Amino acid sequence: MNDLEFKHKILDTKSASFCGAKWYNATIWLGSGMSTSCHHPPAHLVDIEEAKRNPKAIHNTPQKKQDRAQMQAGERPPGCEYCWKIEDIKRDNISDRVYKSKIYKIEDLDNAFTTPVHEDVNLKTLEISFDRTCQFACSYCNPAFSSTWVRDIKSNGPYANLQSDGRNHFTHDHNSAQLYKFGETNPYIEAFFSWWESDLHKTLDELRITGGEPLMSGYTWQLLDWFKANKGKSATRLAINSNLGKDVDVDRLLSSVDQPIDLYTSNESWATQAEYIRDGLEWDLWIDNMTKLIYADKIRSLHVMCTINALCLESLTEFLDLLVAWKTKHGKEAVSFTLNILRFPSFQSALVFPDEIRNKHKQKLQTWLDYHVSRPVGQFLHEHEINHTKRLIDYLDVVKTPHSDTFDMPRLHNDFKQFYTQYDLRRGKNLVETFPELTEWYNGL
Ligand code: SF4
């Protein structure tokens, strides 16, 4: 069944807003006690006393139960706006509601739809972050997810004169994101390990560890040790997100796992442009680590998550060519990619560009896609990769604002200029030297 058929036959026959991720998937930041169903809806705080009493409460929050009730009634939970925006383009675009439901068995989706909303459900896929320790400070990240971003704000003060940053991502060090120091008792981490020991290790299909940079967290290694010490006890597939930057010990990772793991990394542009956007990245090291992982027996699958922001568009297709070159050399399955459209911070969205720049990138992507789709037998793109590229092309064509609360364009332009001027000074970078195609537009802001 292709993606569109799945949407019509399996999801929409339950309700027009049903999504399995609301029941079976979670991203949970244990350092801050925040939880969400997938990475799109805003995260919310888990009641700490409830987590101490019932470890499953780190996923089955009152907010998620309310969203489930709405989905059972065919209403759209507002937090899932990312998917509604894609579906409202009305060109049969496939939203993440489909991708994030399709991974579950149809009977499990049926069960979710009929489960009374007050009941707790066991997770099948979980993305978990132990803390925000990270050696990178990417432009679209913020201190809530990176200790290096915290250092920037502590050393240089808040970013000034931003008008659209309603969530104040760049003005303080987000201490609430790291409630406990390493070694202190964190009730959320205790709840996770308690749930893990009691039944999560039996019911979970996939556990994905994220960060910060998870390979810099002691708890990640503690969990890897658990798998080694309890060989055969859990069938949970293990996946790790890693930026593959310096201080990431890929060899230690490969020798610390007995079972093959899935590895997810991030990148979306080429060389110096990638190093500009993902501050801390060393392009050559990233390539070396990717090459090592492509050949490693302990890696079951290797994925590149592309965060589609304004700046990456200049070299996105060159970057995708690199991924296709790896596929061509090592097989279609050697590496796969997703194109995840950035909405926050809004001023870094691709939609800040005027029509002529957007159209140029849209056309370049269309040419790239047409070429790859027309290649003879042995095409190297997965269906989801083709669909992600198509939806990005449509997004650049149709969608006018990054999200419904977005501020008007002059404010976004103000913030683009203000932010990158300060980013350049703080990080020793130079936007127009790195992205020469933007010189005229940027200098005119
Ligand atoms: S944002 Fe989309 S994929 Fe995520 S839970 Fe909501 S409907 Fe599902």
Side-chain angles (χ1 to χ4, degrees):
M1 200 180 315
N2 69 27
D3 296 340
L4 196 57
E5 284 168 350
F6 180 86
K7 176 179 183 296
H8 291 320
K9 290 187 184 160
I10 306 298
L11 296 187
D12 292 351
T13 49
K14 293 179 178 49
S15 93
S17 60
F18 176 78
C19 172
K22 199 58 85 180
W23 281 259
Y24 296 132
N25 184 71
T27 297
I28 304 175
W29 293 272
L30 296 166
S32 60
M34 302 293 273
S35 183
T36 183
S37 36
C38 76
H39 55 284
H40 299 310
H44 52 278
L45 187 65
V46 176
D47 184 281
I48 195 161
E49 295 307 321
E50 192 58 25
K52 286 181 192 166
R53 200 183 58 74
N54 168 22
K56 294 184 186 183
I58 61 175
H59 167 51
N60 293 282
T61 61
Q63 175 69 60
K64 289 189 201 173
K65 288 179 177 174
Q66 185 184 321
D67 291 349
R68 289 172 194 162
Q70 282 195 284
M71 286 184 168
Q72 286 174 333
E75 296 161 10
R76 290 175 160 191
C80 296
E81 187 200 15
Y82 182 90
C83 284
W84 316 141
K85 205 134 195 156
I86 297 289
E87 293 184 14
D88 288 346
I89 292 175
K90 298 218 182 305
R91 292 184 183 175
D92 279 342
N93 277 289
I94 307 297
S95 73
D96 281 4
R97 187 164 77 90
V98 173
Y99 298 119
K100 289 183 184 293
S101 298
K102 206 176 173 186
I103 57 173
Y104 305 118
K105 291 190 194 122
I106 290 172
E107 71 238 43
D108 289 333
L109 297 173
D110 293 343
N111 285 341
F113 187 61
T114 52
T115 298
V117 283
H118 62 271
E119 282 186 17
D120 287 345
V121 287
N122 273 319
L123 283 162
K124 295 192 176 298
T125 48
L126 169 62
E127 183 177 53
I128 202 134
S129 159
F130 292 112
D131 55 61
R132 62 174 167 174
T133 307
C134 186
Q135 79 284 42
F136 282 20
C138 304
S139 62
Y140 44 64
C141 188
N142 66 66
F145 302 104
S146 158
S147 51
T148 302
W149 250 111
V150 174
R151 276 201 295 285
D152 178 355
I153 298 292
K154 280 194 168 150
S155 314
N156 303 306
Y159 278 66
N161 305 321
L162 300 181
Q163 298 173 349
S164 66
D165 182 27
R167 299 177 180 197
N168 289 318
H169 281 144
F170 306 112
T171 56
H172 65 103
D173 53 15
H174 293 257
N175 273 337
S176 62
Q178 194 64 56
L179 299 173
Y180 308 89
K181 294 195 180 71
F182 185 71
E184 281 181 354
T185 303
N186 175 338
Y188 297 111
I189 290 182
E190 300 241 302
F192 164 73
F193 277 107
S194 161
W195 192 8
W196 174 256
E197 287 281 357
S198 66
D199 52 349
L200 255 192
H201 74 274
K202 292 179 244 164
T203 64
L204 207 55
D205 294 336
E206 183 188 84
L207 174 63
R208 182 158 154 186
I209 311 174
T210 187
E213 167 50 51
L215 294 179
M216 294 178 74
S217 168
Y219 291 112
T220 301
W221 299 104
Q222 185 180 325
L223 200 55
L224 294 180
D225 287 346
W226 185 96
F227 275 93
K228 273 226 156 185
N230 295 277
K231 223 169 175 173
K233 199 170 166 189
S234 171
T236 303
R237 286 194 317 271
L238 191 60
I240 298 200
N241 289 358
S242 174
N243 58 36
L244 300 181
K246 69 177 161 42
D247 302 327
V248 166
D249 192 338
V250 169
D251 295 322
R252 182 182 173 196
L253 172 65
L254 294 174
S255 64
S256 298
V257 292
D258 287 330
Q259 298 299 320
I261 61 169
D262 302 310
L263 198 128
Y264 292 79
T265 188
S266 298
N267 216 340
E268 56 277 325
S269 57
W270 183 264
T272 52
Q273 297 192 346
E275 290 175 346
Y276 182 97
I277 297 168
R278 296 184 54 72
D279 189 22
L281 176 90
E282 293 171 25
W283 175 258
D284 291 341
L285 177 62
W286 188 81
I287 297 282
D288 287 350
N289 279 330
M290 284 293 286
T291 308
K292 193 180 275 183
L293 293 169
I294 285 173
Y295 283 105
D297 294 342
K298 299 267 184 75
I299 298 299
R300 179 175 33 221
S301 65
L302 186 55
H303 306 270
V304 180
M305 302 177 288
C306 306
T307 300
I308 303 302
N309 64 98
L311 294 182
C312 81
L313 291 176
E314 194 166 310
S315 58
L316 175 61
T317 53
E318 284 79 2
F319 180 72
L320 296 180
D321 280 339
L322 168 69
L323 304 186
V324 173
W326 275 327
K327 286 165 174 281
T328 309
K329 183 168 180 194
H330 301 282
K332 181 175 174 176
E333 307 298 332
V335 58
S336 74
F337 66 85
T338 52
L339 304 182
N340 310 299
I341 299 168
L342 174 142
R343 297 182 307 143
F344 298 104
S346 314
F347 63 85
Q348 294 186 30
S349 158
L351 303 184
V352 296
F353 286 144
D355 285 350
E356 63 270 21
I357 296 181
R358 277 167 59 163
N359 287 339
K360 184 182 73 179
H361 293 308
K362 192 183 74 183
Q363 198 49 54
K364 195 173 163 196
L365 269 167
Q366 187 70 60
T367 305
W368 184 89
L369 183 63
D370 290 344
Y371 169 72
H372 286 288
V373 168
S374 69
R375 286 172 85 181
V377 198
Q379 288 180 9
F380 291 100
L381 294 183
H382 292 281
E383 182 188 4
H384 80 264
E385 293 168 334
I386 293 171
N387 285 337
H388 276 212
T389 312
K390 276 186 188 158
R391 81 179 183 182
L392 175 58
I393 291 166
D394 282 348
Y395 190 83
L396 291 171
D397 190 25
V398 173
V399 179
K400 294 297 175 203
T401 59
H403 59 91
S404 60
D405 309 325
T406 205
F407 286 76
D408 53 34
M409 204 52 87
R411 287 173 183 239
L412 297 182
H413 287 164
N414 170 80
D415 287 3
F416 192 96
K417 187 72 179 260
Q418 288 288 345
F419 177 85
Y420 285 113
T421 303
Q422 295 169 66
Y423 184 79
D424 281 358
L425 279 172
R426 290 164 185 239
R427 312 290 178 85
K429 296 184 186 291
N430 188 314
L431 187 140
V432 291
E433 276 177 14
T434 316
F435 302 91
E437 288 181 17
L438 288 181
T439 304
E440 192 183 336
W441 176 75
Y442 183 72
N443 287 341
L445 287 177

